[in-house]
Amino acid sequence: MDFRQALAAAVFSSAAAGSASAQQSEVVFSYKHWQVSIVEWDDGSVGCVAEVKAPGESFSIWTFPDGVVQLQFYSTGWEFGEGQTADLGVQIDRRAPWSLTGAELYQNSVLFYLPDSTAGGTFVAEVARGNRLYLRSDDGSGVKDYSLAGSSASIGALTDCGAVIAKRTPGNPFN
């Protein structure tokens, strides 16, 4: 069974399993510091996530069946509450920094939706080619940094996972 077939089987078995908890996930790919998982919530919605973790913190890229891509920066050291936003910067290696304006601050996470444009694709490509990602405040001061070792293969697996879930049609077991 090739990777796409195994991924499709994982997606559909995860989706069929049902769960009383808020979400369940299954790792479909792991390489170096990264893991790619399929996640299903109890309402039947699914997503794919590529994530690099360190104790108490993580950087994740989520993709959903409608093609939306979301960044998530998480730290147990953050306590934002709800309803706040912030402008921040992200720099990959020594490339020009990216401005993430209006990022949502939610509990222990900073969330940002990538634009459905060439810029969003360029950002993900930089992550795939990068060695280190630096999260910065709007004034450029450092907040957190993350290893991108293994990101190229993991972004490829995330793309494959996204393609599989985009084909899934709720209520139709033949799609």
Side-chain angles (χ1 to χ4, degrees):
M1 183 181 307
D2 73 7
F3 175 74
R4 279 188 184 257
Q5 290 171 323
L7 177 62
V11 168
F12 294 114
S13 68
S14 172
S19 168
S21 66
Q23 72 179 33
Q24 70 179 46
S25 65
E26 182 176 341
V27 174
V28 295
F29 183 81
S30 186
Y31 185 66
K32 293 191 179 182
H33 298 289
W34 286 81
Q35 276 191 332
V36 178
S37 300
I38 176 75
V39 179
E40 182 187 17
W41 289 268
D42 59 356
D43 68 358
S45 61
V46 294
C48 297
V49 60
E51 181 173 47
V52 61
K53 292 182 184 180
E57 60 186 55
S58 64
F59 163 60
S60 308
I61 302 174
W62 289 85
T63 186
F64 301 98
D66 60 2
V68 169
V69 176
Q70 182 183 42
L71 305 179
Q72 179 181 16
F73 301 92
Y74 172 87
S75 175
T76 56
W78 299 335
E79 295 179 21
F80 299 120
E82 296 181 32
Q84 300 177 56
T85 62
D87 297 337
L88 42 112
V90 171
Q91 186 172 7
I92 299 162
D93 299 332
R94 295 184 181 187
R95 295 179 178 98
W98 293 83
S99 293
L100 306 181
T101 56
E104 179 185 357
L105 307 179
Y106 179 76
Q107 298 179 5
N108 301 93
S109 295
V110 174
L111 305 166
F112 184 80
Y113 288 97
L114 289 179
D116 185 19
S117 66
T118 303
T122 301
F123 179 86
V124 172
E126 278 192 22
V127 169
R129 291 189 314 267
N131 295 306
R132 198 128 201 106
L133 182 145
Y134 302 93
L135 177 62
R136 304 186 187 284
S137 65
D138 194 35
D139 68 5
S141 58
V143 175
K144 295 273 182 202
D145 60 280
Y146 306 88
S147 171
L148 298 179
S151 59
S152 181
S154 298
I155 297 298
L158 178 66
T159 301
D160 290 346
C161 183
V164 170
I165 65 171
K167 292 179 182 176
R168 180 177 170 234
T169 305
N172 182 345
F174 302 106
N175 265 341

